[in-house]
């Protein structure tokens, strides 16, 4: 992969029973090293446990210090708390959420200092924009808006938020259907943002006083960290390629000038791509040396082997192909299991009677 610029240019500075592990189609490729191998999933996909049923368009997932899960529902603006073996219960309902198209209550993240401050963070679509609030769990929580003004649309609203290993809040946004946003350094759309827990810019961000961390994204739907602290994103492409990117501060990922691998030195190429019918990815997580990416349109879970240096060591492999329908979110829980969320009631799926569901997969016994 060509080395990419690390600095932002002034004008442009700113992806049950049986497992169907299928070989990657010729159109699907990854950046492989000399000892290329297939992904070695750390989880047993033949032994699912159904953790929750009857959810309505669940979207975000994170975990409290006691091991219980928090789940956001896109359309209802509810936040549910769930422990394995117990039914989810509503613990908060946010106000000001406008669920239109792909917008609504999207990503959630638990403060890394939750034991001290009790904060939960949420990304949601309001009447005029997308915004991030923090609050303490309550039936009608007091919402403190820490960041607003992210362009909204009925599609490409981004919405994934995670605290990184550095305890900074990372935010994946979409271009809101206006491709020029992604290369506009003044717009928070089509970016990965990095901010302090209060929403302000950290002093070591690529551009002083700016929360923009990377630019040139179309619709960021997953953020994850792997071995060596390397950061990755999962991104929805347009008509041809969905992407997994290795994220480096200040880099430009090409949209709308490039979709997939362009090989141009100005832009940072993805480390893996899929055709949009195979993926339409949403949500990502890393366990060991494997990245897991949920797929909505592809109705499968992709496993991507990582080489520990920000690239891949072999070809991605699909599991759960067509088994549970559209997959929205994947996360490694504090219990060590892989949690996978369906999204079959979002208007684009064919829901089973028990949808939407959250499933858990145990580690492989070795």
């Amino acid at each position: 992969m060509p080395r990419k610029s690390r600095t932002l240019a002034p004008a442009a500075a700113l992806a049950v029973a049986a497992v169907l592990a299928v070989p990657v189609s010729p159109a699907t490729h990854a950046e492989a090293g000399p000892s290329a191998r297939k992904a070695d999933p750390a989880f047993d996909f033949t032994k699912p446990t159904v953790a929750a049923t009857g959810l309505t368009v669940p979207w975000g997932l994170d975990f409290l210090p006691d091991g219980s899960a928090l789940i956001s529902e896109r359309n209802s603006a509810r936040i549910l708390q769930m422990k394995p073996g117990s039914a989810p219960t509503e613990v908060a309902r946010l106000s000001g959420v406008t669920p239109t198209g792909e917008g609504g209550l999207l990503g959630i993240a638990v403060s890394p200092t939750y034991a001290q401050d009790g904060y939960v963070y949420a990304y949601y679509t309001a009447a005029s924009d997308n915004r991030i609030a923090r609050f303490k769990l309550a039936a009608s929580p007091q919402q403190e808006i820490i960041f607003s003004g992210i362009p909204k649309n009925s599609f490409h609203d981004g919405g994934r938020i995670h605290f990184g290993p550095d305890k900074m809040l990372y935010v994946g946004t979409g271009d809101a259907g206006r491709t020029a946003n992604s290369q506009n350094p003044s717009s928070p759309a089509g970016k990965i943002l990095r901010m302090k827990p209060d929403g302000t810019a950290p002093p070591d961000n690529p551009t002083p006083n700016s929360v923009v961390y990377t630019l040139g994204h179309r619709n960021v739907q997953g953020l994850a960290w792997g071995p060596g602290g390397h950061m990755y994103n999962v991104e929805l492409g347009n008509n041809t390629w969905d992407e997994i990117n290795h994220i480096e501060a200040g880099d430009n990922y090409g949209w709308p000038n490039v979709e997939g691998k362009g090989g141009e030195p100005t832009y940072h190429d993805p480390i893996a791509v899929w055709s949009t019918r195979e993926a339409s990815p949403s949500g990502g997580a890393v366990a060991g040396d494997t990245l897991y990416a949920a797929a909505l349109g592809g109705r499968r879970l992709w496993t991507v082997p990582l080489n520990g240096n920000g690239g891949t060591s072999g070809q991605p492999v699909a599991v759960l192909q067509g088994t549970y329908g559209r997959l929205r979110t994947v996360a490694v829980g504090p219990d060590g299991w892989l949690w996978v969320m369906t999204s079959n009631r979002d208007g684009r799926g064919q829901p089973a009677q028990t949808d939407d569901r959250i499933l858990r997969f145990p580690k492989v016994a070795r």
Side-chain angles (χ1 to χ4, degrees):
M1 181 178 69
R3 186 63 259 149
K4 309 301 182 293
S5 170
R6 296 292 186 88
T7 58
L8 299 175
L14 320 145
V16 168
V19 174
L20 300 178
V22 299
V24 181
S25 74
T28 304
H29 58 279
E31 181 181 89
S35 57
R37 63 172 183 82
K38 291 183 178 180
D40 180 19
F43 302 97
D44 189 340
F45 293 106
T46 68
K47 297 179 179 177
T49 296
V50 178
T53 61
L55 304 176
T56 305
V57 198
W59 210 98
L61 175 67
D62 204 359
F63 300 91
L64 293 171
D66 66 0
S68 62
L70 291 182
I71 304 156
S72 64
E73 286 188 331
R74 187 181 72 186
N75 295 351
S76 70
R78 297 194 306 164
I79 294 178
L80 309 174
Q81 184 178 8
M82 187 199 71
K83 291 184 177 180
S86 301
T89 58
E90 183 177 329
V91 290
R93 189 182 295 247
L94 299 193
S95 61
V97 177
T98 305
T100 303
E102 296 174 359
L105 175 56
L106 303 175
I108 56 173
V110 174
S111 167
T113 54
Y114 183 87
Q116 289 75 46
D117 58 42
Y119 279 131
V120 175
Y121 292 70
Y123 182 115
Y124 67 92
T125 308
S128 60
D129 60 358
N130 290 300
R131 53 186 61 180
I132 303 165
R134 66 180 179 183
F135 52 90
K136 297 181 180 181
L137 295 176
S140 299
Q142 296 295 312
Q143 298 165 213
E144 176 190 358
I145 306 301
I146 66 162
F147 196 87
S148 60
I150 303 170
K152 62 168 282 187
N153 203 330
S154 59
F155 51 87
H156 299 186
D157 286 298
R160 198 67 67 177
I161 59 175
H162 279 289
F163 279 96
D166 56 4
K167 297 185 179 180
M168 295 292 117
L169 183 64
Y170 291 78
V171 180
T173 70
D175 66 9
R178 295 180 287 277
T179 59
N181 284 336
S182 297
Q183 295 292 329
N184 179 359
S186 299
S187 172
K191 310 292 191 300
I192 292 176
L193 312 178
R194 178 177 181 260
M195 61 187 69
K196 294 180 181 180
D198 64 1
T200 59
D204 57 345
N205 267 9
T207 299
N209 302 314
S210 172
V211 297
V212 172
Y213 192 65
T214 59
L215 72 161
H217 300 285
R218 183 173 182 268
N219 194 15
V220 178
Q221 291 289 290
L223 301 169
W225 286 260
H230 291 282
M231 182 182 177
Y232 304 90
N233 92 315
V234 177
E235 185 162 342
L236 281 167
N238 188 21
N239 295 320
T240 309
W241 300 116
D242 294 322
E243 302 177 357
I244 300 290
N245 290 292
H246 176 223
I247 300 301
E248 296 188 84
D251 277 9
N252 188 327
Y253 289 81
W255 179 256
N257 301 324
V258 175
E259 180 184 1
K261 295 187 177 186
E264 299 181 25
T266 305
Y267 306 122
H268 196 138
D269 276 349
I271 63 171
V273 297
W274 299 280
S275 68
T276 54
R277 64 179 175 81
E278 294 176 302
S280 297
S282 176
V286 174
D289 62 355
T290 302
L291 184 148
Y292 299 85
L296 291 163
R299 291 167 168 78
R300 66 195 76 180
L301 182 70
W302 283 105
T303 66
V304 183
L306 302 174
N307 64 12
N309 296 313
T312 61
S313 59
Q315 294 289 354
V317 172
V319 298
L320 305 180
Q321 188 173 4
T323 309
Y324 300 107
R326 293 166 60 81
L327 303 182
R328 170 72 65 183
T329 297
V330 57
V332 179
D335 54 7
W337 291 45
L338 191 71
W339 295 52
V340 178
M341 174 188 293
T342 72
S343 189
N344 292 314
R345 295 192 180 277
D346 61 3
R348 297 176 177 176
Q350 296 175 321
Q353 186 174 1
T354 55
D355 278 331
D356 275 312
R357 292 169 280 177
I358 294 178
L359 302 116
R360 295 166 58 242
F361 298 91
K363 289 183 177 180
V364 172
R366 299 190 186 278

